[in-house]
Amino acid sequence: MPFKIADVVPSGALARQKQPTIPAPGGLLLRPWSPDDAPAVYEAFQDPVLQRWHAREADSVDEARGWIDGWRKAWPEERDAHWAVADATTDEVVGRISLRLIVLADGQAEVAYWTMPSARGRGIAPRALTALSDWAFGELGLHRLELTHATANEASCRVALKTGFAPEGTKRSAVLHADGWHDMHLHARVQGDEPAGS
């Protein structure tokens, strides 16, 4: 029995193309990860602030290189899409941004991001998130992007609000961190929403 509603984004929309490099304001590039970025990923996951909001930790550069290999394989499998956020001049990794839990048929994905400790306070996450959202809505054709963060993660909430991800509610006791269960704020942008500040 055929579906009455066509897929929002057809299967193969990612797999048929090479993962793009996306320019972001202020001299940033969202680019595919390279195995050479493993030391930066390992360094990021030694940071106590980043560790607080993540369930994983990197025990070695080789382990981080394995993560990168998985991130690179996720693109043709159309389940996730991961980019390094890099300085456009030096190619130094200053963060990470991803589309997670992609469901092309429904036109939906979840965004996730982090910033290198040495790069915090420079507006990198909002600029990268704006660039990725514009690409996801404009080039890929997604309809809805969700963003969740622990209610205690005020910095991530500021990024969400600054980039036009409207608050939609609180998911109670939704994610288990090392210090216990966390309530999560749910934010979203949908196709046609104006980004904050526009």
Side-chain angles (χ1 to χ4, degrees):
M1 181 179 303
F3 286 100
K4 296 194 303 182
I5 301 170
D7 290 352
V8 176
V9 178
S11 177
L14 297 180
R16 283 194 298 268
Q17 65 174 306
K18 182 179 175 182
Q19 184 175 357
T21 295
I22 303 168
L28 297 177
L29 284 178
L30 282 51
R31 61 160 174 79
W33 285 97
S34 161
D36 294 339
D37 297 322
V41 174
Y42 173 74
E43 177 188 340
F45 275 82
Q46 304 316 298
D47 173 47
V49 174
L50 193 144
Q51 287 178 359
R52 182 177 182 198
W53 310 119
H54 287 78
R56 300 171 84 180
E57 57 185 16
D59 290 330
S60 68
V61 172
D62 281 343
E63 184 176 11
R65 192 171 289 112
W67 294 358
I68 289 171
D69 184 54
W71 295 342
R72 290 163 57 93
K73 288 177 179 174
W75 177 270
E77 295 172 1
E78 299 189 314
R79 53 187 168 84
D80 299 310
H82 305 271
W83 285 264
V85 181
D87 183 291
T89 302
T90 66
D91 201 41
E92 174 191 7
V93 174
V94 293
R96 172 183 174 231
I97 194 156
S98 304
L99 294 174
R100 300 175 58 248
L101 309 174
I102 298 170
V103 184
L104 293 176
D106 294 339
Q108 299 189 26
E110 179 181 310
V111 295
Y113 47 84
W114 50 254
T115 303
M116 294 290 291
S118 60
R120 290 194 187 122
R122 293 164 37 193
I124 286 168
R127 288 183 278 146
L129 181 54
T130 297
L132 180 59
S133 300
D134 289 348
W135 178 85
F137 289 132
E139 298 296 322
L140 184 56
L142 294 183
H143 177 73
R144 177 179 169 89
L145 295 176
E146 293 189 351
L147 185 163
T148 61
H149 63 82
T151 55
N153 189 344
E154 295 177 2
S156 197
C157 195
R158 287 192 297 272
V159 170
L161 295 173
K162 187 173 185 177
T163 54
F165 279 76
E168 294 191 338
T170 301
K171 299 167 68 175
R172 296 178 305 124
S173 197
V175 174
L176 181 60
H177 287 292
D179 61 350
W181 289 98
H182 281 243
D183 292 351
M184 304 292 286
H185 277 161
L186 171 64
H187 299 255
R189 273 188 67 187
V190 298
Q191 182 75 257
D193 281 353
E194 290 295 328
S198 62

